[in-house]
Amino acid sequence: LGFTNVGQAIAATPAKLEKVRLLAEYFSSIDDERLAIATVYFTGHAFPQTDLRTLQVGGSVIYRALGGAAKISDAEFRRIAHSHGDAGKTAFDVLDGRTVSEPFGITDSYKFFEQLQKLRGPVAKKEALQNRLAQLSAREGQYVVKILTGDLRIGLREGLVEEAIARAFNVPLDEVKEANMLLGDIGRTAVLAKNNELERAELSLFRPIKCMLASPEPTAEAIWKRFVDVAAVADRGPASATPATTGEKMPVVYVEDKFDGIRAQLHASRTRSEIFSRDLKRITGQFPEIAEQARQFSEEVILDGEIIAFAEDRKLTFFDLQKRLGRKTDALDLFETSSADVPVIFVAFDLLFLDDRSLLRTALRERRDLLRGLKLPPKFQIASVVAAHSANEIESEFKRARLRLNEGLMVKNPQSFYSPGRRGMFWFKLKKELATLDVVVVGAELGHGKRNHVLSDYTFAVRDESSGELLPIGKAYSGLTDAEIAELTEHFKDNTLVEHGRYREVKPDIVLEVAFNSIQPSTRHSSGLALRFPRIKAIRR
DNA sequence: TATGGCTGCCC
DNA sequence: ATTCTGC
DNA sequence: GCAGAATGGGCAGCCATA
């Protein structure tokens, strides 16, 4: 009950500081057990990030359970659901006045999520959820639904939860962030903070930490400017706190190919090895041959790298690699599984831990030196790195990376530490669109959340030269400003051909320039093609 | 037994 | 993944 | 500059149903 009230109060204010204040006040008022649960809930999850359990409850199960719990007609339910396009709001409206509320504390909710997780099959899950929702207040039901969808939509996520923890227990924010990076469990972080034990969180083998991320930049010049600016500031400032350019007159940057695979963090000792994904999920079972060979390292290591599809000295595509994702088989029996498998290799680009020693606060230059010194098992490679001294050099490396069929470049500051979970100013990525395409909008759909009342989601088509028909090839909204979306909404409302609930066919008279990174065969759209990363570049007028 | 919907998780 | 927006 | 929100394609696995 306290949880939902705090959630409502946070949703009601747009000011971040006020949200944090409200949350901190709540955190300091509850015991350890509730604190561990509530902090995770406020990040929009039922279970901590490193927890392997999944609920297998999505929109479909939720909507069916809501309908059943409120005992209303399908037509009435659809009317309410369509008016929101938001599962949480729908839950409140549907349940309001139609349930018999019983006491339901935050520990009860956690037990409920655990039971729900253990049930097998959508039918059983829908049944259990429906029974529970029928015994909650509309507000409680709304927050159960919000957590199940992973979207609180109260303008607060993990970043502000960290701030609230720091504020509630009067500890430095940096220490909270660091502990959370190392633990991958904000609940445990909060309890450590409360008991003044944050220093107990340390980098250790087989506990995954968040990945360091790169900021996107559109051109080599833009990236170079970042480094020059940092260097200028460091030169002027007395004893700059950043390790960015100490001792450098002319900036030097490290440039590597950006591989199109999956980000992977490998932990290995002589007796055990584990592989984790970017979101800290254990994916060891999907790449058993990599994991097995990883035990051949003579040191204990944590490597950061990319798993890519690779056969006979040639890099394959991400599309090939995807066939290896989502595998459940933990089988190490290579004879059984490998024949149909796409072969993969691990390309290492960073070393975070070496024989009991954390390298997070070691400069990239030195981490790279240590990485180069490792003796690699088969199926392991080291990403080659070159130094660049100008925007032009970065640009020509970019061209070479593309010739090697890689996505683009990573550009890194050689002096930088490894900052887990940060998309800071030390790593940049340079990717460019493959091409742009002029397409015609044939359908428009109402958005969700704050885009609930605008037509923000566009289906677009290309013309088949032989038949003259317009064939859909993709969807996008990304790239338009709110003002442009508002303008297009007006236009499409006036030019609707047929309405189908939240979706409408529209007169094909708006042409968009759409950028994309690749194009491939697909059964999703009737053109038989689909775009990768479609985004709108411009409205043609 | 075959197919398709749903979910989670990669990018 | 990409992009925009408010703080 | 950061954090949050809203949105893309596509795969495997699991289950329900035809």
Side-chain angles (χ1 to χ4, degrees):
Chain A
L1 194 73
F3 179 86
T4 59
N5 288 337
V6 176
Q8 285 304 99
I10 290 171
T13 169
K16 282 185 191 173
L17 289 176
E18 178 63 6
K19 287 175 194 279
V20 169
R21 196 192 63 74
L22 288 163
L23 195 54
E25 197 177 317
Y26 173 62
F27 286 164
S28 35
S29 75
I30 52 179
D31 64 25
D32 285 10
E33 184 190 9
R34 287 172 177 78
L35 177 64
I37 299 171
T39 44
V40 174
Y41 284 178
F42 272 112
T43 65
H45 299 103
F47 301 126
Q49 190 170 21
T50 43
D51 197 314
L52 293 170
R53 294 175 293 177
T54 58
L55 283 158
Q56 300 292 135
V57 171
S60 177
V61 169
I62 290 169
Y63 279 115
R64 275 179 278 158
L66 279 173
K71 300 193 197 69
I72 55 174
S73 72
D74 280 4
E76 174 73 353
F77 182 80
R78 263 201 306 277
R79 191 190 60 74
I80 296 174
H82 283 178
S83 72
H84 294 306
D86 175 294
K89 285 208 182 85
T90 300
F92 183 83
D93 275 9
V94 164
L95 297 175
D96 198 16
R98 299 191 179 92
T99 60
V100 182
S101 169
E102 291 182 12
F104 187 64
I106 194 164
T107 45
D108 299 324
S109 72
Y110 192 71
K111 283 184 200 127
F112 169 66
F113 288 136
E114 287 187 309
Q115 286 163 9
L116 197 58
Q117 185 271 328
K118 284 189 190 122
L119 292 171
R120 286 290 148 252
V123 174
K125 288 178 194 267
K126 177 247 170 193
E127 207 56 33
L129 181 56
Q130 173 176 322
N131 293 339
R132 175 53 73 184
L133 289 172
Q135 297 171 6
L136 299 180
S137 72
R139 194 61 79 194
E140 289 164 343
Q142 176 183 22
Y143 274 83
V144 166
V145 166
K146 279 171 176 283
I147 292 167
L148 288 173
T149 59
D151 245 336
L152 251 43
R153 298 197 207 227
I154 57 173
L156 172 141
R157 279 187 170 186
E158 195 163 13
L160 298 195
V161 176
E162 288 173 336
E163 287 188 32
I165 292 170
R167 184 175 171 131
F169 306 116
N170 201 21
V171 288
L173 177 59
D174 281 352
E175 288 179 24
V176 174
K177 283 180 179 291
E178 177 159 347
N180 189 33
M181 286 166 201
L182 295 169
L183 295 172
D185 182 341
I186 197 150
R188 285 181 55 196
T189 303
V191 172
L192 287 183
K194 182 177 176 184
N195 298 314
N196 228 333
E197 295 179 324
L198 282 175
E199 75 283 352
R200 284 179 55 184
E202 55 180 22
L203 180 64
S204 61
L205 210 53
F206 307 120
R207 191 189 286 154
I209 59 162
K210 295 186 183 187
C211 289
M212 183 156 173
L213 303 170
S215 305
E217 287 290 347
T219 62
E221 287 74 26
I223 291 180
W224 186 250
K225 192 166 180 303
R226 294 283 192 179
F227 287 99
V228 173
D229 287 352
V230 171
V233 171
D235 274 354
R236 251 178 276 126
S240 162
T242 78
T245 53
T246 34
E248 296 285 343
K249 281 286 187 297
M250 272 297 293
V252 177
V253 297
Y254 275 7
V255 174
E256 307 162 355
D257 286 19
K258 183 177 191 307
F259 299 96
D260 191 11
I262 69 164
R263 185 75 177 267
Q265 191 176 106
L266 181 125
H267 295 231
S269 71
R270 300 295 300 197
T271 54
R272 184 182 166 199
S273 59
E274 301 286 0
I275 308 171
F276 301 98
S277 71
R278 188 184 134 141
D279 285 333
L280 312 190
K281 303 294 173 197
R282 182 178 175 275
I283 52 173
T284 312
Q286 283 148 62
F287 303 102
E289 74 275 39
I290 300 271
E292 193 190 34
Q293 293 193 356
R295 295 201 287 272
Q296 295 175 24
F297 279 105
S298 25
E299 299 88 354
E300 293 191 338
V301 293
I302 298 178
L303 295 175
D304 190 4
E306 192 95 357
I307 291 175
I308 62 170
F310 191 92
E312 286 153 26
D313 251 26
R314 282 198 53 192
K315 163 186 178 304
L316 307 176
T317 65
F318 181 76
F319 188 69
D320 297 311
L321 179 65
Q322 261 187 308
K323 297 183 174 63
R324 295 270 314 245
L325 299 181
R327 289 270 174 95
K328 279 285 198 296
T329 52
D330 249 50
L332 250 175
D333 187 349
L334 295 176
F335 297 104
E336 251 183 44
T337 56
S338 67
S339 64
D341 274 353
V342 176
V344 296
I345 58 168
F346 186 100
V347 182
F349 52 70
D350 216 326
L351 178 65
L352 313 186
F353 184 90
L354 181 65
D355 275 344
D356 240 22
R357 177 182 165 209
S358 167
L359 301 177
L360 297 182
R361 292 180 183 285
T362 300
L364 173 63
R365 182 184 299 249
E366 194 184 330
R367 299 202 304 275
R368 268 290 190 167
D369 287 343
L370 292 167
L371 177 61
R372 201 175 324 124
L374 294 180
K375 191 167 169 303
L376 299 179
K379 293 188 194 292
F380 279 78
Q381 292 186 9
I382 293 177
S384 40
V385 57
V386 300
H389 307 82
S390 69
N392 277 340
E393 285 182 29
I394 294 174
E395 182 61 30
S396 59
E397 273 309 312
F398 177 81
K399 293 203 175 83
R400 278 196 278 273
R402 293 301 288 259
L403 287 176
R404 290 186 287 260
L405 304 180
N406 287 321
E407 267 192 307
L409 287 185
M410 300 295 299
V411 183
K412 301 177 181 177
N413 182 329
Q415 254 68 42
S416 61
F417 295 158
Y418 192 95
S419 27
R422 294 282 176 76
R423 197 185 293 275
M425 292 295 115
F426 299 120
W427 288 15
F428 297 95
K429 59 179 169 185
L430 179 59
K431 287 167 78 170
K432 291 181 189 172
E433 64 224 24
L434 176 73
T436 67
L437 200 59
D438 282 354
V439 298
V440 182
V441 179
V442 294
E445 193 170 352
L446 291 171
H448 297 90
K450 63 186 174 191
R451 302 207 193 291
N452 197 10
H453 300 294
V454 288
L455 295 163
S456 62
D457 189 349
Y458 311 122
T459 302
F460 45 74
V462 289
R463 193 172 295 284
D464 180 337
E465 292 287 343
S466 53
S467 68
E469 249 182 308
L470 284 173
L471 299 176
I473 192 171
K475 294 170 72 179
Y477 102 91
S478 170
L480 294 180
T481 62
D482 288 353
E484 288 169 321
I485 292 173
E487 191 187 329
L488 288 182
T489 297
E490 286 309 304
H491 178 87
F492 289 135
K493 277 187 174 162
D494 294 340
N495 292 275
T496 296
L497 300 178
V498 196
E499 274 199 64
H500 312 277
R502 299 175 62 82
Y503 176 82
R504 62 183 72 200
E505 291 171 41
V506 299
K507 194 171 146 201
D509 60 357
I510 294 285
V511 176
L512 301 177
E513 184 187 6
V514 174
F516 58 98
N517 285 39
S518 65
I519 185 165
Q520 65 184 48
S522 162
T523 54
R524 195 184 195 88
H525 305 294
S526 48
S527 62
L529 295 169
L531 309 178
R532 191 172 184 208
F533 308 145
R535 61 266 190 194
I536 299 166
K537 261 289 187 357
I539 306 173
R540 293 258 187 245
R541 295 169 199 272

